[in-house]
Amino acid sequence: MIEILEKPEIAEKEEGKHVIYTFQNRTFRLDKEKARERLQGKRVINGLRSAELNVLPLKYHEAYRIYKQMKANHWEPDVIDMTKDCSLWNSNKLSNRERWIIEMGVGYFSAAEGIVGDSVLHVIEDNLTAAELKHASLRQIAEESIHMDSLLHIISSLNIDLDEVTAKFQDIPSIKKKNAYITRQMPELKMGIDLTVTANKQKFAKAIFGITQVMEGTQFYALFAMILSLQRQNKMTGIGQMFQYTLRDESNHIALGRYILEQLINENPDIWTDEFQQELVEFMREGVALEKEFVQDCLPEDSVGLTQKDFLEYVDYNADRRLSSLGLPTLSNVKQNPFLWLDEVIFLKKEKNFFETRVTEYQTSGSVKNTNEDDLI
Ligand code: FE
Ligand code: MN
C-alpha cells in the first residue's frame, strides 16, 4: 500500500455551536453541524456535489497547501525581457542544433500544454467531487494557460512563424506517438463514465497518473533540461527564465496529481490491485521508451555541452522517481540525477520571488513598455 502524505497544518477547536479552524494565520468560523455534514460528504470521487465551491471545512489539507504554493509562485510571461534572446536569435552565434532545440521546445510544448490543460479540465477536475481538490485543479488549469501564453511571448518576440514550426513538428513520429499515447484513453473519460465501477475508477486513476506523473513528471523534463542548459551557457536566457518558472509550476502539478491519486486509492482500495499496479508500471515503461525516441530526435549527437547518454539516463531517473513516490517498482538502475546542476537551478528559483525581481527586469527591459505595476497584483 502506498504511503499517504497528509500534513495537517490546520488547527481545529470547538466553540459553542461553532468550530474554529486556523490555517496559515487565518481563522475560519463554521457552524459545527453543517461543517460536519459537509465533511462527511467529501470524497475524491462519488462524493456530494455542490454548485458552491465549498472548500471549507478542509478535508484534503495538502491540496489547499499546494494551491497556496501555486499562487505564491505566480508569474507573468509577457514582462520577461526578451531583448537578449532576440539579438542572439537574429545573429549567427547560435548553432543549428541550438536553434532546433528552441524550435522543438516551442513546437512540442505548444501542443503539450494544451493537452494537459484540456485533460485536467475535462477528465480530472470534472470527475472530482471534493471542493478543495477541484479548487487546486482549477488553479493548475490557469497555470497551463500561463504556460501557453509564455509560448506566445516567445513566438512573438522571436518573430517565429508558428504554422511553419508546428508543421515541422506535426510529422515527427516521436512527437506524434508521444501525444497519441497520452491522449488515447481520454475520449471515453470525457464522456462521463460511471465511477462506481472498479474498472472505470482504474481508468480515471490511470489518466491522472498518465497526465501528471508520465507526461508532466517524466516526458517534460528532457526538453526542459536542454533549454535550461542553453540558459546556463548564457544563451536564450529570457526563454530559460520562463522555462524555470514553468518547471517550478510543474513540480506542484506533479505533487497535486500524486496527492489526488493517493487519496483516491486510500478511499477506493479496490483500485489498487496487483494487476493495476503492473498496468501503471507498463504504462510508464511505454512512456519512457517514447521519450527516449524523442530525445534521440532532439539530440541525435552530443551537443549543447551535454551528452545524449546523460539525457537518456535523466528520463530513467525521473520515471523511477515518479514510480517510487507511489510505492511502485522502478524500471532502471539509474539512482543518481545526471544533471545535479539542474536541481540547483530549480532549488534557487524557489527562493526567488517573481514580483521582487520583476521591477529591475522591467526597468532594464526595452521590450516592456506601458506596464502598470498594479495590473499584476
Ligand atoms: Fe504546464
Ligand atoms: Mn502542468
Side-chain angles (χ1 to χ4, degrees), residues 55-77:
V55 170
L56 297 174
L58 285 176
K59 180 177 181 186
Y60 305 98
H61 303 150
E62 181 66 2
Y64 189 59
R65 191 195 63 76
I66 294 172
Y67 166 81
K68 290 296 228 188
Q69 185 60 55
M70 291 197 281
K71 213 165 69 74
N73 288 350
H74 182 73
W75 62 286
E76 297 282 343

mmCIF file of all heavy atoms in Angstrom, residues 55-77:
data_model
loop_
_atom_site.group_PDB
_atom_site.id
_atom_site.type_symbol
_atom_site.label_atom_id
_atom_site.label_comp_id
_atom_site.label_asym_id
_atom_site.label_seq_id
_atom_site.Cartn_x
_atom_site.Cartn_y
_atom_site.Cartn_z
ATOM 1 N N VAL A 55 -14.966 24.933 -0.113
ATOM 2 C CA VAL A 55 -13.647 24.423 0.247
ATOM 3 C C VAL A 55 -13.606 24.089 1.744
ATOM 4 O O VAL A 55 -12.947 23.146 2.173
ATOM 5 C CB VAL A 55 -12.576 25.468 -0.135
ATOM 6 C CG1 VAL A 55 -11.223 25.101 0.442
ATOM 7 C CG2 VAL A 55 -12.504 25.604 -1.655
ATOM 8 N N LEU A 56 -14.356 24.852 2.532
ATOM 9 C CA LEU A 56 -14.372 24.642 3.979
ATOM 10 C C LEU A 56 -15.534 23.736 4.394
ATOM 11 O O LEU A 56 -16.608 23.831 3.800
ATOM 12 C CB LEU A 56 -14.504 25.987 4.703
ATOM 13 C CG LEU A 56 -13.345 26.960 4.488
ATOM 14 C CD1 LEU A 56 -13.684 28.295 5.128
ATOM 15 C CD2 LEU A 56 -12.048 26.427 5.054
ATOM 16 N N PRO A 57 -15.363 22.918 5.408
ATOM 17 C CA PRO A 57 -14.129 22.657 6.142
ATOM 18 C C PRO A 57 -13.180 21.803 5.296
ATOM 19 O O PRO A 57 -13.629 20.928 4.568
ATOM 20 C CB PRO A 57 -14.610 21.865 7.364
ATOM 21 C CG PRO A 57 -15.855 21.195 6.899
ATOM 22 C CD PRO A 57 -16.482 22.109 5.886
ATOM 23 N N LEU A 58 -11.904 22.063 5.434
ATOM 24 C CA LEU A 58 -10.923 21.330 4.639
ATOM 25 C C LEU A 58 -10.836 19.877 5.075
ATOM 26 O O LEU A 58 -10.732 19.594 6.264
ATOM 27 C CB LEU A 58 -9.537 21.956 4.825
ATOM 28 C CG LEU A 58 -9.234 23.267 4.141
ATOM 29 C CD1 LEU A 58 -7.847 23.727 4.569
ATOM 30 C CD2 LEU A 58 -9.282 23.115 2.634
ATOM 31 N N LYS A 59 -10.913 18.991 4.114
ATOM 32 C CA LYS A 59 -10.616 17.581 4.404
ATOM 33 C C LYS A 59 -9.252 17.228 3.815
ATOM 34 O O LYS A 59 -8.465 16.530 4.416
ATOM 35 C CB LYS A 59 -11.699 16.686 3.808
ATOM 36 C CG LYS A 59 -11.447 15.214 4.082
ATOM 37 C CD LYS A 59 -12.571 14.351 3.559
ATOM 38 C CE LYS A 59 -12.302 12.885 3.865
ATOM 39 N NZ LYS A 59 -13.318 12.012 3.239
ATOM 40 N N TYR A 60 -8.989 17.747 2.603
ATOM 41 C CA TYR A 60 -7.740 17.432 1.898
ATOM 42 C C TYR A 60 -6.796 18.626 2.048
ATOM 43 O O TYR A 60 -6.637 19.431 1.124
ATOM 44 C CB TYR A 60 -8.041 17.100 0.433
ATOM 45 C CG TYR A 60 -9.067 15.996 0.300
ATOM 46 C CD1 TYR A 60 -10.407 16.289 0.072
ATOM 47 C CD2 TYR A 60 -8.691 14.668 0.451
ATOM 48 C CE1 TYR A 60 -11.357 15.281 -0.012
ATOM 49 C CE2 TYR A 60 -9.632 13.646 0.364
ATOM 50 C CZ TYR A 60 -10.963 13.961 0.133
ATOM 51 O OH TYR A 60 -11.900 12.958 0.059
ATOM 52 N N HIS A 61 -6.195 18.722 3.251
ATOM 53 C CA HIS A 61 -5.370 19.889 3.591
ATOM 54 C C HIS A 61 -4.244 20.136 2.607
ATOM 55 O O HIS A 61 -3.937 21.261 2.252
ATOM 56 C CB HIS A 61 -4.751 19.704 4.981
ATOM 57 C CG HIS A 61 -5.760 19.470 6.042
ATOM 58 N ND1 HIS A 61 -5.498 18.727 7.168
ATOM 59 C CD2 HIS A 61 -7.049 19.865 6.145
ATOM 60 C CE1 HIS A 61 -6.586 18.680 7.925
ATOM 61 N NE2 HIS A 61 -7.535 19.363 7.327
ATOM 62 N N GLU A 62 -3.619 19.036 2.187
ATOM 63 C CA GLU A 62 -2.447 19.162 1.321
ATOM 64 C C GLU A 62 -2.818 19.836 -0.014
ATOM 65 O O GLU A 62 -2.024 20.581 -0.566
ATOM 66 C CB GLU A 62 -1.846 17.765 1.118
ATOM 67 C CG GLU A 62 -0.606 17.700 0.257
ATOM 68 C CD GLU A 62 0.629 18.399 0.835
ATOM 69 O OE1 GLU A 62 0.566 18.922 1.958
ATOM 70 O OE2 GLU A 62 1.646 18.443 0.113
ATOM 71 N N ALA A 63 -4.035 19.601 -0.497
ATOM 72 C CA ALA A 63 -4.447 20.222 -1.765
ATOM 73 C C ALA A 63 -4.519 21.736 -1.602
ATOM 74 O O ALA A 63 -4.111 22.497 -2.492
ATOM 75 C CB ALA A 63 -5.798 19.678 -2.221
ATOM 76 N N TYR A 64 -5.002 22.166 -0.454
ATOM 77 C CA TYR A 64 -5.097 23.615 -0.231
ATOM 78 C C TYR A 64 -3.700 24.213 -0.042
ATOM 79 O O TYR A 64 -3.419 25.305 -0.527
ATOM 80 C CB TYR A 64 -5.980 23.901 0.997
ATOM 81 C CG TYR A 64 -6.299 25.372 1.164
ATOM 82 C CD1 TYR A 64 -6.969 26.079 0.168
ATOM 83 C CD2 TYR A 64 -5.908 26.065 2.314
ATOM 84 C CE1 TYR A 64 -7.250 27.426 0.308
ATOM 85 C CE2 TYR A 64 -6.187 27.421 2.456
ATOM 86 C CZ TYR A 64 -6.858 28.098 1.454
ATOM 87 O OH TYR A 64 -7.127 29.432 1.588
ATOM 88 N N ARG A 65 -2.824 23.458 0.633
ATOM 89 C CA ARG A 65 -1.448 23.941 0.800
ATOM 90 C C ARG A 65 -0.768 24.071 -0.578
ATOM 91 O O ARG A 65 -0.116 25.074 -0.857
ATOM 92 C CB ARG A 65 -0.630 22.982 1.688
ATOM 93 C CG ARG A 65 0.714 23.554 2.113
ATOM 94 C CD ARG A 65 1.661 22.505 2.657
ATOM 95 N NE ARG A 65 2.022 21.491 1.668
ATOM 96 C CZ ARG A 65 2.891 21.689 0.678
ATOM 97 N NH1 ARG A 65 3.504 22.863 0.548
ATOM 98 N NH2 ARG A 65 3.159 20.734 -0.184
ATOM 99 N N ILE A 66 -0.976 23.093 -1.455
ATOM 100 C CA ILE A 66 -0.387 23.161 -2.803
ATOM 101 C C ILE A 66 -0.984 24.349 -3.570
ATOM 102 O O ILE A 66 -0.278 25.078 -4.257
ATOM 103 C CB ILE A 66 -0.574 21.829 -3.575
ATOM 104 C CG1 ILE A 66 0.218 20.702 -2.898
ATOM 105 C CG2 ILE A 66 -0.115 21.971 -5.034
ATOM 106 C CD1 ILE A 66 -0.053 19.302 -3.457
ATOM 107 N N TYR A 67 -2.285 24.557 -3.421
ATOM 108 C CA TYR A 67 -2.925 25.714 -4.071
ATOM 109 C C TYR A 67 -2.235 27.010 -3.643
ATOM 110 O O TYR A 67 -1.904 27.867 -4.470
ATOM 111 C CB TYR A 67 -4.423 25.771 -3.709
ATOM 112 C CG TYR A 67 -5.049 27.105 -4.060
ATOM 113 C CD1 TYR A 67 -5.442 27.379 -5.363
ATOM 114 C CD2 TYR A 67 -5.179 28.111 -3.097
ATOM 115 C CE1 TYR A 67 -5.969 28.617 -5.706
ATOM 116 C CE2 TYR A 67 -5.699 29.352 -3.424
ATOM 117 C CZ TYR A 67 -6.100 29.603 -4.727
ATOM 118 O OH TYR A 67 -6.597 30.835 -5.057
ATOM 119 N N LYS A 68 -1.991 27.139 -2.327
ATOM 120 C CA LYS A 68 -1.335 28.353 -1.818
ATOM 121 C C LYS A 68 0.071 28.490 -2.390
ATOM 122 O O LYS A 68 0.522 29.581 -2.730
ATOM 123 C CB LYS A 68 -1.259 28.311 -0.280
ATOM 124 C CG LYS A 68 -2.603 28.459 0.404
ATOM 125 C CD LYS A 68 -3.189 29.805 0.125
ATOM 126 C CE LYS A 68 -3.689 30.489 1.368
ATOM 127 N NZ LYS A 68 -4.430 31.723 1.012
ATOM 128 N N GLN A 69 0.758 27.371 -2.483
ATOM 129 C CA GLN A 69 2.111 27.367 -3.039
ATOM 130 C C GLN A 69 2.072 27.786 -4.516
ATOM 131 O O GLN A 69 2.889 28.587 -4.971
ATOM 132 C CB GLN A 69 2.707 25.960 -2.890
ATOM 133 C CG GLN A 69 4.146 25.842 -3.322
ATOM 134 C CD GLN A 69 5.068 26.747 -2.514
ATOM 135 O OE1 GLN A 69 5.082 26.669 -1.286
ATOM 136 N NE2 GLN A 69 5.794 27.633 -3.179
ATOM 137 N N MET A 70 1.102 27.262 -5.254
ATOM 138 C CA MET A 70 0.988 27.598 -6.679
ATOM 139 C C MET A 70 0.768 29.102 -6.840
ATOM 140 O O MET A 70 1.354 29.739 -7.703
ATOM 141 C CB MET A 70 -0.165 26.806 -7.324
ATOM 142 C CG MET A 70 0.096 25.320 -7.437
ATOM 143 S SD MET A 70 -1.019 24.450 -8.609
ATOM 144 C CE MET A 70 -2.468 24.276 -7.636
ATOM 145 N N LYS A 71 -0.088 29.621 -5.969
ATOM 146 C CA LYS A 71 -0.424 31.034 -6.062
ATOM 147 C C LYS A 71 0.802 31.908 -5.708
ATOM 148 O O LYS A 71 1.038 32.936 -6.337
ATOM 149 C CB LYS A 71 -1.596 31.349 -5.120
ATOM 150 C CG LYS A 71 -2.512 32.425 -5.649
ATOM 151 C CD LYS A 71 -3.827 32.452 -4.894
ATOM 152 C CE LYS A 71 -3.671 32.944 -3.470
ATOM 153 N NZ LYS A 71 -3.461 34.397 -3.389
ATOM 154 N N ALA A 72 1.577 31.442 -4.725
ATOM 155 C CA ALA A 72 2.776 32.189 -4.319
ATOM 156 C C ALA A 72 3.808 32.219 -5.449
ATOM 157 O O ALA A 72 4.642 33.119 -5.523
ATOM 158 C CB ALA A 72 3.379 31.566 -3.067
ATOM 159 N N ASN A 73 3.745 31.229 -6.350
ATOM 160 C CA ASN A 73 4.705 31.156 -7.459
ATOM 161 C C ASN A 73 4.216 31.886 -8.710
ATOM 162 O O ASN A 73 4.782 31.734 -9.776
ATOM 163 C CB ASN A 73 4.932 29.690 -7.851
ATOM 164 C CG ASN A 73 5.732 28.932 -6.818
ATOM 165 O OD1 ASN A 73 6.282 29.518 -5.888
ATOM 166 N ND2 ASN A 73 5.797 27.627 -6.956
ATOM 167 N N HIS A 74 3.150 32.652 -8.580
ATOM 168 C CA HIS A 74 2.558 33.266 -9.772
ATOM 169 C C HIS A 74 3.562 34.112 -10.562
ATOM 170 O O HIS A 74 4.366 34.829 -9.990
ATOM 171 C CB HIS A 74 1.369 34.147 -9.375
ATOM 172 C CG HIS A 74 0.688 34.759 -10.560
ATOM 173 N ND1 HIS A 74 -0.095 34.014 -11.405
ATOM 174 C CD2 HIS A 74 0.726 36.014 -11.068
ATOM 175 C CE1 HIS A 74 -0.522 34.805 -12.388
ATOM 176 N NE2 HIS A 74 -0.043 36.016 -12.208
ATOM 177 N N TRP A 75 3.498 34.000 -11.867
ATOM 178 C CA TRP A 75 4.378 34.806 -12.728
ATOM 179 C C TRP A 75 3.642 35.185 -14.008
ATOM 180 O O TRP A 75 2.603 34.609 -14.323
ATOM 181 C CB TRP A 75 5.661 34.034 -13.047
ATOM 182 C CG TRP A 75 5.471 32.755 -13.794
ATOM 183 C CD1 TRP A 75 4.980 31.575 -13.291
ATOM 184 C CD2 TRP A 75 5.771 32.501 -15.175
ATOM 185 N NE1 TRP A 75 4.958 30.614 -14.272
ATOM 186 C CE2 TRP A 75 5.444 31.149 -15.442
ATOM 187 C CE3 TRP A 75 6.296 33.280 -16.212
ATOM 188 C CZ2 TRP A 75 5.618 30.578 -16.695
ATOM 189 C CZ3 TRP A 75 6.481 32.699 -17.464
ATOM 190 C CH2 TRP A 75 6.135 31.363 -17.684
ATOM 191 N N GLU A 76 4.190 36.181 -14.694
ATOM 192 C CA GLU A 76 3.571 36.694 -15.917
ATOM 193 C C GLU A 76 4.576 36.618 -17.062
ATOM 194 O O GLU A 76 5.638 37.239 -16.980
ATOM 195 C CB GLU A 76 3.173 38.172 -15.724
ATOM 196 C CG GLU A 76 2.141 38.411 -14.651
ATOM 197 C CD GLU A 76 0.728 38.082 -15.105
ATOM 198 O OE1 GLU A 76 0.494 37.980 -16.325
ATOM 199 O OE2 GLU A 76 -0.124 37.905 -14.227
ATOM 200 N N PRO A 77 4.277 35.881 -18.106
ATOM 201 C CA PRO A 77 5.246 35.718 -19.192
ATOM 202 C C PRO A 77 5.608 37.019 -19.911
ATOM 203 O O PRO A 77 6.781 37.275 -20.179
ATOM 204 C CB PRO A 77 4.548 34.774 -20.166
ATOM 205 C CG PRO A 77 3.457 34.130 -19.404
ATOM 206 C CD PRO A 77 3.066 35.076 -18.326
#
